[in-house]
């Protein structure tokens, strides 16, 4: 089974993904990490040196590969992966569980700015400089796209990552008739 996590920066995709993968005993894959590994540089450097379209090409190529792998895995995706229609189609046709981790702009802003690595590793996404206006603007554009691709949305505003992970594990276990330690 494949589990894909979708959502804006700061929604907890990586943290939740690691917990779910560990409980299931399957591989955890992060599309951003694979892009960086293949490019041999950070995402911020790719944006600065080659531009966002080059990053999006690398991201689409990584996504094409990871959805084709046949072993069970959990995939955390970059927040902008839904921007390309071809990526959305690939995800929708993948048969994977696709969770949209949802939160209002104010909550995402606080979480992003509580993360010390943000400034050093994450590129600016618009000329608005990463403030609340940027998040509001991009969320307005992306929310319908996340919604169109997801199989389930989880509002993560008031729920810690461990509990989000348990909700995902419970659904997956119910569907597959499996039981995971700590998963319910
Ligand atoms: C992006 C989000 C990032 C990364 C890149 C672009 C975006 O991933 O893919 O910086 O467009 O929102 P995270 O959502 O994991 O931070």
């Amino acid at each position: 089974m494949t589990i894909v996590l979708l959502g804006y920066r700061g929604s907890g995709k990586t943290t939740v993904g690691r917990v779910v993968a560990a409980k299931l005993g399957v591989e955890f894959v992060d599309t951003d990490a694979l892009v960086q590994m293949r490019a041999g540089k950070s995402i911020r450097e790719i944006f600065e040196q080659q531009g966002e379209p080059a990053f999006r090409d690398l991201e689409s190529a990584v996504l094409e590969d990871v959805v084709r792998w046949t072993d069970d895995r959990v995939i955390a995706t970059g927040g902008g992966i839904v921007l390309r229609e071809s990526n959305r189609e690939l995800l929708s046709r993948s048969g994977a569980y696709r969770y949209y981790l949802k939160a209002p702009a104010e909550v995402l802003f606080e979480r992003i700015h509580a993360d010390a690595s943000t400034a050093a590793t994450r590129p600016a996404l618009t000329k608005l400089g990463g403030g609340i206006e940027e998040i509001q603007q991009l969320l307005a554009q992306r929310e319908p796209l996340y919604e169109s691709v997801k199989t389930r949305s989880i509002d993560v505003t008031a729920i810690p990552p461990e509990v989000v992970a348990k909700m995902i594990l419970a659904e997956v276990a119910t569907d597959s008739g499996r039981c995971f330690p700590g998963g319910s």
Side-chain angles (χ1 to χ4, degrees):
M1 127 224 345
T2 302
I3 296 171
V4 174
L5 301 174
L6 304 159
Y8 201 81
R9 287 173 173 179
S11 59
K13 293 165 291 181
T14 303
T15 312
V16 170
R18 284 191 195 288
V19 175
V20 172
K23 295 273 189 208
L24 291 174
V26 303
E27 190 182 358
F28 171 71
V29 182
D30 185 320
T31 59
D32 284 342
L34 280 182
V35 165
Q36 294 184 92
M37 216 189 298
R38 288 188 186 183
K41 48 184 135 176
S42 70
I43 291 174
R44 191 182 172 135
E45 286 168 333
I46 302 170
F47 267 67
E48 283 170 3
Q49 296 166 15
Q50 300 167 247
E52 182 173 346
F55 168 77
R56 297 293 172 202
D57 287 343
L58 288 165
E59 185 178 52
S60 295
V62 160
L63 181 67
E64 263 190 53
D65 288 347
V66 297
V67 298
R68 267 204 217 106
W69 294 345
T70 51
D71 48 327
D72 290 352
R73 80 218 84 112
V74 178
I75 304 169
T77 57
I81 204 140
V82 292
L83 291 173
R84 285 199 175 168
E85 191 181 356
S86 55
N87 292 349
R88 297 198 299 276
E89 277 174 9
L90 207 56
L91 286 163
S92 300
R93 281 193 273 109
S94 69
Y97 291 90
R98 302 181 295 277
Y99 293 97
Y100 167 32
L101 307 189
K102 188 178 172 145
E106 297 70 25
V107 172
L108 296 168
F109 177 78
E110 273 178 31
R111 291 191 186 180
I112 291 167
H113 288 272
D115 175 358
S117 67
T118 294
T121 59
R122 288 174 163 162
L125 296 176
T126 69
K127 293 198 166 42
L128 292 170
I132 187 82
E133 295 81 11
E134 175 175 285
I135 301 175
Q136 282 165 339
Q137 192 183 86
L138 292 180
L139 259 191
Q141 177 197 14
R142 293 177 180 185
E143 190 113 56
L145 305 179
Y146 294 131
E147 293 285 358
S148 75
V149 166
K150 62 108 203 329
T151 50
R152 178 180 174 187
S153 322
I154 300 179
D155 186 337
V156 298
T157 307
I159 314 178
E162 298 71 28
V163 178
V164 178
K166 280 191 177 180
M167 291 166 74
I168 293 173
L169 287 162
E171 179 168 285
V172 172
T174 307
D175 278 5
S176 62
R178 287 161 75 178
C179 186
F180 308 109
S184 57

